[in-house]
């Protein structure tokens, strides 16, 4: 009997980001509103983080609502019929429900049913992970167009009295549509994790402990110095590897869009990479705060609003955070 030949799918050679959309929380929360419970000052927060204010969403707004607004903008700007989007990937750590996935709800809301839809939990690296997956799905022919969203409502995970991370966090969503391209628009991704440092950024308790009444509502905590050293020194090496994987020198970049953890990390990052003055550095954290998986697409959206001439240029983006997980790639800005 003749051995059957299995068919495998094949797609376009290249992909690129077609458009970007954004949605920030409806509330602007200045440092002055947060300093009481942490016994601090506006000056202390600005010196440590560069954050002046952060956007947060009201009680009636969920992360999926922010994701929906950002996704609709990205789809409209892409000019792609949402029915042609057959993969929806949402990077998030703040879905209010364990199930269903935020992506499945989002796909229905934007008219992309019956797209494959799933969430990615890779914290602040989630968006870069999702970009890598969307790129691979399209180039292997599994999907034709993909919607990638980073969406967070981190204010739900905040202890107002915690001095380690609470004043950093904001709410928002950023979205991109990815599709086939005539030229390379997304480089190979350099990604990975170091679970041995998992306690550096973590939840302080489990839902099971909360249910048994053994603890308060679980909230985020971090070891600031451990995270700072890891982000600046180890992630600079990852960023350099991403440039090598893309075949790009730093002076060929138009922009550098790191995860918006805090301004000190961003500034040290730029020094480590020895970026020339011609490279525009995203600093959205100053008025948006740290929005985890949403921070890179939100920063990209603002950067293109303020510098439309960057469209078509190369941007190095890198996410890093709880896990400890990291991902970096070079993309052509839409």
């Amino acid at each position: 009997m003749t051995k059957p030949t299995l068919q495998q799918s094949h797609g376009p050679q290249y992909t690129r980001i077609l458009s970007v959309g954004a949605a920030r929380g409806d509330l602007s929360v200045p440092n002055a509103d947060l300093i009481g419970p942490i016994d601090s000052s506006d000056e202390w927060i600005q010196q440590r983080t560069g954050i002046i204010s952060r956007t947060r969403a009201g009680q009636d707004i969920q992360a999926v609502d922010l994701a929906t607004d950002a996704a609709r903008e990205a789809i409209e700007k892409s000019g792609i019929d949402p029915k042609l989007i057959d993969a929806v990937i949402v990077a998030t750590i703040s879905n209010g429900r364990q199930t269903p996935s935020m992506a499945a709800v989002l796909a229905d809301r934007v008219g992309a049913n019956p797209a494959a839809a799933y969430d990615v939990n890779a914290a602040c690296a989630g968006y870069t992970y999702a970009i890598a997956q969307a790129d691979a799905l399209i180039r292997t022919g599994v999907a034709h167009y993909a919607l990638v969203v980073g969406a967070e409502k981190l204010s739900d995970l905040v202890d107002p009295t915690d001095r380690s991370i609470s004043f950093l966090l904001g709410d928002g969503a950023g979205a991109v549509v990815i599709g086939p391209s005539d030229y390379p628009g997304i480089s190979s991704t350099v990604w990975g994790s170091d679970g041995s440092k998992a306690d550096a950024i973590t939840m302080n308790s489990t839902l099971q402990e909360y249910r048994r009444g053994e603890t308060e509502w679980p909230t985020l905590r971090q070891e600031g110095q451990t995270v700072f050293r890891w982000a600046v020194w180890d992630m600079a090496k990852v960023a350099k590897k991403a440039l090598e994987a893309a075949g790009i020198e730093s002076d060929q970049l138009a922009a550098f869009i790191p995860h918006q953890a805090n301004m000190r990390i961003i500034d040290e990052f730029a020094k480590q990479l020895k970026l020339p003055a011609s490279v525009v550095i995203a600093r959205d954290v100053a008025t948006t705060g740290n929005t985890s998986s949403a921070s890179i697409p939100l920063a990209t959206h603002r950067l293109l609003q303020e510098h439309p001439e960057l469209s078509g240029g190369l941007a190095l983006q890198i996410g890093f955070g709880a896990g400890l997980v990291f991902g970096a790639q070079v993309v052509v800005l839409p």
Side-chain angles (χ1 to χ4, degrees), residues 25-293:
D26 57 322
L27 307 174
S28 179
V29 182
N31 293 335
D33 287 4
L34 306 180
I35 58 178
I38 61 172
D39 190 24
S40 186
S41 67
D42 173 59
E43 181 183 22
W44 182 82
I45 293 175
Q46 288 201 45
Q47 286 179 346
R48 290 177 65 86
T49 69
I51 296 175
I52 301 168
S53 62
R54 73 282 298 137
T55 58
R56 289 185 174 173
Q59 183 175 345
D60 295 334
I61 299 175
Q62 302 303 313
V64 69
D65 300 321
L66 297 167
T68 303
D69 290 344
R72 284 173 175 160
E73 181 188 353
I75 293 169
E76 181 180 354
K77 288 164 67 174
S78 75
I80 300 300
D81 187 331
K83 293 183 177 64
L84 298 177
I85 294 172
D86 40 16
V88 177
I89 310 172
V90 175
T92 185
I93 61 169
S94 52
N95 188 1
R97 293 181 171 90
Q98 295 294 101
T99 193
S101 70
M102 193 184 301
V105 175
L106 179 62
D108 179 60
R109 286 189 178 187
V110 301
N113 277 343
Y118 60 95
D119 292 353
V120 172
N121 182 340
C124 309
Y127 174 75
T128 59
Y129 272 45
I131 291 291
Q133 293 176 37
D135 167 58
L137 291 172
I138 294 170
R139 287 191 296 108
T140 54
V142 178
H144 298 90
Y145 292 93
L147 173 65
V148 170
V149 183
E152 303 288 8
K153 191 181 181 189
L154 298 179
S155 58
D156 287 344
L157 307 177
V158 163
D159 172 2
T161 66
D162 170 59
R163 288 174 61 91
S164 75
I165 198 172
S166 63
F167 54 89
L168 291 169
L169 303 178
D171 303 334
V176 295
V177 174
I178 297 175
S181 174
D182 294 332
Y183 54 86
I186 300 173
S187 76
S188 298
T189 297
V190 175
W191 59 353
S193 66
D194 182 1
S196 69
K197 296 184 178 70
D199 289 340
I201 311 175
T202 187
M203 304 299 289
N204 64 340
S205 59
T206 67
L207 288 174
Q208 290 77 17
E209 289 168 333
Y210 173 71
R211 186 179 186 182
R212 293 194 297 265
E214 298 169 1
T215 182
E216 298 295 323
W217 176 251
T219 55
L220 285 163
R221 295 288 192 276
Q222 76 168 350
E223 297 173 5
Q225 287 303 311
T226 300
V227 174
F228 183 87
R229 288 192 296 268
W230 176 75
V232 171
W233 297 106
D234 291 3
M235 292 305 97
K237 296 174 185 176
V238 171
K240 291 174 183 177
K241 288 181 181 178
L243 289 173
E244 292 173 6
I248 297 297
E249 301 291 336
S250 61
D251 60 4
Q252 294 176 290
L253 293 172
F256 175 48
I257 311 176
H259 163 51
Q260 303 291 291
N262 76 53
M263 201 71 77
R264 289 174 62 208
I265 289 177
I266 293 170
D267 290 342
E268 286 296 326
F269 229 141
K271 290 179 184 177
Q272 290 293 319
L273 293 176
K274 299 178 180 178
L275 296 176
S278 59
V279 178
V280 180
I281 301 173
R283 290 189 167 89
D284 187 47
V285 67
T287 54
T288 300
N290 179 339
T291 55
S292 191
S293 66

